[in-house]
Structure formats: C-alpha cells, structure tokens
Amino acid sequence: METREFGDIELRRVREHVWEIPQEGEMNAPARVLASEALLDHIGDDKTLEQLRNATHLPGITKHAICMPDGHQGYGFPVGGVGATDTTDGCISPGAVGYDINCGVRMMTTNLTYEDLQGHEEELVDALFEAVPSGLGGGGVVKGDAETIEDILARGMQWAVDAGYATDDDLAHCEDEGFRDDARPEFVSQKAKDRGRNQIGSLGSGNHFLEVQRVTDVYREDVAESFGLEADQIVVLIHCGSRGLGHQTCTDYLRRIEKEHKDLLDDLPDKELAAAPAGSELAEEYYGAMCAAINFAWVNRQLIMHRTREVFADVFDRDWRDMEMRLLYDVAHNIAKKEVHEVGVDPEGRPVRDGDAVEREERELYVHRKGATRAFPAGRPELPPAYADVGQPVIIPGSMGAGSYVLRGGDQSLDLTFGSTAHGAGRLMSRTKAKQEYWGETVQDELREQEKIYVKAQSGATVAEEAPGVYKDVDEVVRVSDELGIGDKVARTFPVCNIKG
DNA sequence: ATGTCC
C-alpha cells in the first residue's frame, strides 16, 4: 500500500487524488484528503492534517472528515474542510464554519466583450473604487437603522428586492434563493448588529475583492451555454462576507461554548473546534444566529452588485438591463447547513464507511463547509429551476493575477464530499511573509504593464498580502476537482480590473 | 477574515 508521512500522521493512498487517515483511538471516523501529490506537499506543510484529524473527534461526525485540494490550516478546523455531523446526536461547530460567516462569491455576466471594455479600464476601476465601500471599518452602501438590520437578518435578499436593490431574477440565482428561513435575528447580539449597521454593502479587506474579468476558455460548451457564458465575454466577480457582524457572531458563540459546554470542549483535542451538542439550546441559538449572518452577507454582496450595475451604466452610458447584467450564481463558502444525505449504516444503524455498510439510509446532517463550496449535481432538490438539469454553478476565485474558474456540481460530489468542492487557490505563505516578499505598488505596476490588469486598493499592504505569488496554482486545484468528478470545469476567466480593501 | 486585545 502506498503511504505518505507528515509528522506523526500517515496517509494511505486510496486511489488517484484520494488519501485517507485511518480511524484510530478517539477518532469517530476516518479522514480524507483530496489532493494531487503536488498539492499534498503543500497541505502537509502546516497544521492542516493535524486539524483534519482533530475534526474527526467531533461528536456525530459522519463517514469521514474531508480536506479539499486547496486546504490549509485555519482556526481549529482546516480552511478547505468539510465535516458532516448528525443533527440529532452530533454537534454544530462555529470553528468549523469560520469567523467570516457566509464568506462567498457571486458572478454577474454581461453581454459586453473585452473589446467593448478596452480603453475604459482606468475609468472603470476608478469609478468602481469610488462607488463600492472597501477597507477595514465602517461605511456601506446603505445606512441601516435598527429596524432595517432586523429585516435584513430575517429575510436576506427578500429585503433587497423590497428595497429596490434586487430583482426576482437575482433571487432565483443565489444559493438558498438568497435567504435562510431558519434565521433568528434575536440570537444575534446587539454588538454584532451595531457593527453590521454601518457595513451593509461593503467589501472589507484581506482577500476580498471585486473583479471585472473576461472569459478566456470554455471547457464544456453545452454547460457554458446553459450558464450564459462564452469566450471573450465580460463578467464581474464579487468576493466578500458578513464583515464585523459575522465575525462578532462567531466570537460571541465561541465564548458561550467555553462557558456553557466546557465538558464537550474538554473532550476535544483542540478547544478551537468549539462545538455545541446537537439539540442543546446553544446549538439552536447558534444555528439561528449563523443563518441570520448568512442573510446579511447575501445582502452585502447584492448591494455591491447593485452599485456595480450603476457604475457600468454610467461608464458605458447604457441601462444595465441592456448590458444584460445578470447574476449567474452566488455561492457561500463558509457555512453550515442542515441537509439530507444518504449514508451507509452498519447492522445497528450507525453510520459507517461505504465498504462496511449493510444498507444506506437518509440522514439529516449539519454539513459544515469552511472554505469549501456546495457543488450539487443535477437532480438535487435544492437547485433552482435554471440549473436543475445541468448542476449548480460553482465559482472558484484565483488570485488577482491568475483569474478564476466556473465549474458545475459534479456527479461524484454526493458520494465523496457531501456535495462539495474547493473554494479557491489556497494561500502558500502567511500575510507577514508576503509583506516581506512583495511591495504593493510594484505588484500593481507589474500587473498593469505585463498583464493589462488594473488593480486599485485602499492599502498597498493588502496588495502585497494578496500578490499572485502567495497563492497556490488554482489550475491544479481545479484539475483535481474535475478529475475527481466533484466539480467539473466549465470556463476560465482572466482579470481586467480589480478593486480591494 | 476582523474596529488584528475586554
């Protein structure tokens, strides 16, 4: 049997791109890493594998904990991690969702071509930078009073439709139709709401960005056609999350878990895994608060998209509807959700891996996707009518020098990953190291001169932290996803204008 | 990721 060793962790090769940490000791399931040899070298570089093994200690973890090809270490649970826990006797873990609740990506298509845009890059990047609030701290498209924030938390993009910032068509092209019905704003703290009020419609900082891109490659013509994508087309990508509101919500519940569920915490190998037992008051309250923060993030991305439409209308002197600026899809990559999945069970009805199962049953699970994207294939009931027969669009952003991918949910995703795939390129080095290696202005000048990519940012330090060289090869991440059949390549894009915090 | 510490 082929094995690879990283510290005290031995990985067994199951087959091409599939590696397993066998179940032993206090582990409640085996763990799996989905990666090529090259990506596995990166994954073995930091604490990712240790964190992945720790995640298998979570009560009720089902089948296996899984690391996506772009995985790297995070707070407690790996970024690029998927963990499905039983909703009756398992747990829910804020650490396995992440601080930036519903960090995610949306892509808007247009009927413009790269040729239409050439010569306008400078004007466009300046106008977008002016119109879309970005950077650390406050300032949003909408100033929310107490009532508005409650409404946004409860109703997500439904609020945006009523307030004139979204169309019904936008709603129909968003994961969960842009709102979680399970949202309970009363479980979001006043402090979190106060932080969110001034940030409704703001990009934030770090790896968040708005990018105008051109489609350079199409891999599956028929799927691309159903998605409304073709070569040379201009599209817009928006990557951001729930800002201070989501961050505060995560912090609030991590604290409460330490106080109210110390016993469970003490049983876990890392207290950053911080889980609340399924069925507990705290689990219910966290789930309701998390769903509310998810709604906030969808409104956030919607308002940024609204401003983008206005900027395009201004720069190109046409109505945005004439430029067919439609939402392709909005995907969340830091969430947990109650989903029903088929799992193999042993004679006592306990979930086991497929080889040991005597039959298969449907189970309701909290599917934690932290730095992982839902990738449902055709046929899943959750898919909107537009994608019911083709599979959902999956958007995977690369770095500002590399461009991004559109995939579609693959046939193997339900068997391998509870319907998930990667979420990005994954970092290669820390932010501190990046600032030692790169200088923001130099990165910007080189991108403009060599690649005709126009980058505008609040902070030069952020550009250095996000320089193309600090990221893994997004092509390799997507290749593995495609070859495993969890997310199939549909199209590739290349940056034209990028704004960031 | 994040008013990068209550």
Side-chain angles (χ1 to χ4, degrees):
Chain A
M1 182 189 301
E2 196 183 331
T3 61
R4 293 284 304 274
E5 272 180 50
F6 297 92
D8 70 333
I9 296 178
E10 187 182 79
L11 290 164
R12 296 183 186 170
R13 185 180 184 278
V14 178
R15 59 185 172 85
E16 178 86 23
H17 303 326
V18 182
W19 303 84
E20 185 159 297
I21 306 174
Q23 184 178 351
E24 57 181 41
E26 301 295 304
M27 292 166 69
N28 290 319
R32 281 193 168 184
V33 180
L34 306 180
S36 59
E37 296 267 358
L39 289 170
L40 189 57
D41 285 335
H42 293 308
I43 290 169
D45 235 13
D46 57 22
K47 289 184 178 164
T48 313
L49 294 173
E50 194 183 318
Q51 291 184 336
L52 182 68
R53 186 177 58 183
N54 290 343
T56 67
H57 291 242
L58 288 168
I61 189 133
T62 301
K63 202 166 164 181
H64 33 235
I66 313 148
C67 177
M68 299 299 122
D70 56 334
H72 59 91
Q73 80 178 52
Y75 177 87
F77 191 93
V79 175
V82 173
T85 50
D86 199 284
T87 56
T88 51
D89 57 11
C91 65
I92 185 164
S93 165
V97 170
Y99 272 95
D100 193 3
I101 296 166
N102 193 5
C103 183
V105 206
R106 65 167 56 190
M107 182 178 277
M108 175 166 60
T109 56
T110 75
N111 64 10
L112 302 177
T113 64
Y114 186 41
E115 199 179 321
D116 294 329
L117 203 134
Q118 278 177 302
H120 296 282
E121 294 97 331
E122 190 100 52
E123 184 188 358
L124 188 61
V125 80
D126 286 346
L128 287 167
F129 191 74
E130 186 71 29
V132 177
S134 66
L136 282 171
V141 171
V142 165
K143 171 82 180 156
D145 55 26
E147 202 180 324
T148 306
I149 196 84
E150 294 293 330
D151 212 10
I152 289 171
L153 290 172
R155 300 170 61 232
M157 274 180 42
Q158 292 176 316
W159 169 86
V161 172
D162 291 347
Y165 297 108
T167 65
D168 288 328
D169 191 63
D170 295 337
L171 215 72
H173 294 83
C174 185
E175 187 169 318
D176 296 335
E177 285 69 51
F179 78 102
R180 286 276 183 98
D181 212 19
D182 289 332
R184 302 290 297 274
E186 65 269 35
F187 297 136
V188 175
S189 70
Q190 193 54 50
K191 192 174 178 183
K193 288 171 185 169
D194 288 342
R195 284 180 72 173
R197 272 172 58 169
N198 302 317
Q199 301 181 324
I200 312 165
S202 64
L203 215 41
S205 185
N207 64 359
H208 291 163
F209 63 82
L210 183 156
E211 196 164 89
V212 179
Q213 311 177 321
R214 64 182 205 269
V215 177
T216 52
D217 303 274
V218 171
Y219 307 100
R220 283 176 167 81
E221 287 285 352
D222 53 334
V223 183
E225 198 184 327
S226 343
F227 287 178
L229 290 170
E230 59 185 18
D232 234 29
Q233 180 184 11
I234 291 296
V235 299
V236 180
L237 202 71
I238 296 164
H239 177 206
C240 64
S242 52
R243 306 293 328 278
L245 184 139
H247 192 276
Q248 188 63 48
T249 301
C250 182
T251 305
D252 291 340
Y253 281 90
L254 289 173
R255 290 220 181 98
R256 278 189 59 191
I257 284 173
E258 280 189 43
K259 275 192 209 143
E260 297 170 36
H261 293 282
K262 189 110 189 6
D263 47 343
L264 172 51
L265 215 56
D266 289 341
D267 282 343
L268 293 169
D270 180 353
K271 79 185 186 81
E272 290 186 357
L273 279 172
S280 68
E281 197 174 71
L282 188 50
E284 293 302 315
E285 292 185 14
Y286 171 69
Y287 192 69
M290 181 199 62
C291 288
I294 286 171
N295 286 344
F296 180 88
W298 273 323
V299 168
N300 196 26
R301 292 197 281 277
Q302 180 66 36
L303 290 181
I304 293 168
M305 188 175 87
H306 171 76
R307 274 282 164 90
T308 305
R309 283 169 167 167
E310 290 180 336
V311 166
F312 270 70
D314 208 32
V315 168
F316 296 100
D317 198 23
R318 290 170 65 187
D319 191 283
W320 65 263
R321 293 165 198 84
D322 293 339
M323 289 181 275
E324 297 173 25
M325 302 184 78
R326 298 184 63 186
L327 181 55
L328 169 65
Y329 210 45
D330 180 310
V331 294
H333 56 225
N334 270 16
I335 52 99
K337 188 173 182 198
K338 289 179 188 172
E339 288 174 9
V340 174
H341 287 269
E342 215 180 72
V343 295
V345 295
D346 69 9
E348 281 81 49
R350 289 182 304 233
V352 287
R353 21 191 246 162
D354 292 348
D356 304 328
V358 294
E359 58 181 329
R360 297 178 72 75
E361 281 180 8
E362 288 193 329
R363 290 289 168 97
E364 189 188 62
L365 305 165
Y366 286 119
V367 181
H368 300 77
R369 296 189 183 92
K370 180 186 188 181
T373 314
R374 199 184 75 177
F376 283 166
R380 273 292 293 209
E382 289 92 338
L383 295 191
Y387 306 126
D389 297 331
V390 61
Q392 73 162 87
V394 175
I395 301 148
I396 301 199
S399 74
M400 61 173 126
S404 307
Y405 277 90
V406 178
L407 316 186
R408 64 96 178 259
D411 282 343
Q412 299 304 308
S413 72
L414 293 175
D415 272 345
L416 288 177
T417 56
F418 296 99
S420 319
T421 189
H423 84 305
R427 290 192 79 84
L428 269 176
M429 65 179 87
S430 70
R431 294 181 177 279
T432 317
K433 177 101 190 297
K435 278 181 282 198
Q436 291 162 1
E437 298 277 325
Y438 299 97
W439 186 252
E441 254 179 71
T442 313
V443 172
Q444 276 165 299
D445 289 347
E446 284 176 3
L447 285 169
R448 185 176 291 214
E449 280 155 29
Q450 292 164 21
E451 309 283 356
K452 294 186 181 170
I453 300 170
Y454 292 71
V455 177
K456 196 161 173 139
Q458 297 283 353
S459 146
T462 306
V463 178
E465 287 172 9
E466 297 297 320
V470 315
Y471 281 95
K472 289 179 208 170
D473 185 359
V474 70
D475 298 304
E476 176 74 353
V477 169
V478 168
R479 182 180 74 88
V480 171
S481 171
D482 186 86
E483 288 181 6
L484 283 169
I486 56 177
D488 308 327
K489 280 163 70 164
V490 176
R492 199 190 194 293
T493 64
F494 195 78
V496 181
C497 303
N498 178 303
I499 66 161
K500 52 203 298 88

